[in-house]
Amino acid sequence: PTDAFREGPNFLAIDPDDGIGCMLCGVECPVEAIFADGDVPQDQAHFIALNVQLARIWKPIIEKKAALPDADEWGKVKDKLELLER
């Protein structure tokens, strides 16, 4: 319901200032990678600040896009942070 998602070269970020806390995005996320503020696992807490930082420089996604052809493959890969392109 908002334009909270930001698209970078090879990652997505969520702008916490644009999100409204409804968690519809969490329900729709096919890899269960989106959490409510109070439910972020401790080992992923560093992503909160990273989302804020990246949301300031990346443009919002304002139109629905089809999933990338290799989305299912990448959804199973853990520890992708080192691949982040800014």
Side-chain angles (χ1 to χ4, degrees), residues 7-11 54 57-58 80-86:
E7 183 176 26
N10 65 341
F11 270 72
L54 296 174
I57 58 175
W58 290 348
K80 297 178 272 210
L81 189 55
E82 65 187 31
L83 303 172
L84 173 65
E85 296 177 22
R86 294 173 189 256

Side-chain angles (χ1 to χ4, degrees), residues 56-74:
R56 291 183 181 147
I57 58 175
W58 290 348
K59 293 183 180 183
I61 299 172
I62 56 173
E63 295 179 357
K64 184 175 181 171
K65 295 183 174 191
L68 296 174
D70 58 353
D72 288 336
E73 252 179 76
W74 280 106

Side-chain angles (χ1 to χ4, degrees), residues 1-41:
T2 71
D3 297 332
F5 282 87
R6 304 295 195 262
E7 183 176 26
N10 65 341
F11 270 72
L12 295 179
I14 301 174
D15 186 337
D17 293 332
D18 280 351
I20 59 173
C22 67
M23 280 306 295
L24 285 176
C25 56
V27 172
E28 293 295 324
C29 181
V31 294
E32 301 176 354
I34 301 173
F35 302 93
D37 289 342
D39 295 333
V40 177

Side-chain angles (χ1 to χ4, degrees), residues 43-61:
D43 66 334
Q44 295 183 35
H46 61 283
F47 285 108
I48 297 170
L50 182 61
N51 272 276
V52 171
Q53 179 186 29
L54 296 174
R56 291 183 181 147
I57 58 175
W58 290 348
K59 293 183 180 183
I61 299 172

